[in-house]
Each structure stands twice: as C-alpha cells, then as structure tokens.
Amino acid sequence: MDLQAVRTFVAVTEAGGFQKAAADLSVTQQAVSKRIAALEAALGVRLFTRAPRGAELTIDGRAFLPHARELLRAAERASASVRPGSRPLRVDVIASRTAQSSLMRAFHGAHPGIA
C-alpha cells in the first residue's frame, strides 16, 4: 500500500474535497485523483462519493480512515526511530571499576535528562 496515497486519502478527508487537498499537498488535483483511484483499486472499494460540493466518505472510507491515520502515525514513528540523534548513546563497560564507568556514572548523575 502506497503511503503517499494513504496520506492523500487523509488529506482529502480533512479538506472535504479533492481541490482543497491538492492545494494543501501542493500537488495538482489530477495527482490527488490518481492517488485516490490507485488506493481504491488496491483496496477494491470506493472510498469517496464524489459530488459537486466535494467528496464524502463512503461506509468503506469511514471504516478505513482510523486505520489510515494509524498507518501514517506508524510510518512517522518508524522514520523517527532511525533519524540521527534520536537514539541514546550506548557505551558498554566491561568492568564497573574502570575510569570509563566512573565517568559515565558521574555524567549520568549530573545530566539525568539525557538518555
């Protein structure tokens, strides 16, 4: 499943229409329509009822929406987990009575908020 299409689905839902979502995503309305069509084809269901006033979620679209939002949150967590600076420093110390161990304990004691 294409996360860009899922992101577009959520944007259309929040914007209430394809044109507003396209502006919010800085893409053309045609690109939004193609992404939604591809997502609908992949899922085998219609997600929106298109109307002159905008787009409304179908029953399937309403069922998919919370899962789509969770997919985007999970993708963000996955990306954040490998970003530089997002992981704590790990120092393995074999003996607890070495200078390195003492320095690490002192640093941690002085800066408890740093992982």
Side-chain angles (χ1 to χ4, degrees):
M1 185 174 305
D2 179 16
L3 284 178
Q4 196 70 299
V6 173
R7 190 170 286 111
T8 302
F9 165 74
V10 172
V12 172
T13 301
E14 291 173 353
F18 284 53
Q19 190 166 357
K20 175 77 168 84
D24 292 346
L25 295 170
S26 299
V27 298
T28 65
Q29 184 174 348
Q30 182 181 10
V32 170
S33 294
K34 285 183 177 183
R35 289 177 189 173
I36 296 300
L39 183 60
E40 289 175 332
L43 295 172
V45 296
R46 301 265 318 173
L47 298 170
F48 292 102
T49 300
R50 287 130 175 109
R53 296 183 317 241
E56 295 181 10
L57 288 172
T58 62
I59 292 171
D60 293 319
R62 286 192 298 272
F64 182 65
L65 181 59
H67 302 288
R69 287 184 170 139
E70 181 54 35
L71 273 172
L72 296 178
R73 284 190 294 269
E76 178 56 35
R77 287 191 307 269
S79 294
S81 73
V82 295
R83 284 190 190 117
S86 65
R87 294 181 303 260
L89 172 66
R90 178 180 169 160
V91 178
D92 290 327
V93 179
I94 297 172
S96 63
R97 295 184 181 170
T98 64
Q100 298 92 335
S101 179
S102 296
L103 285 171
M104 291 306 296
R105 275 197 302 277
F107 180 84
H108 187 63
H111 307 283
I114 297 177

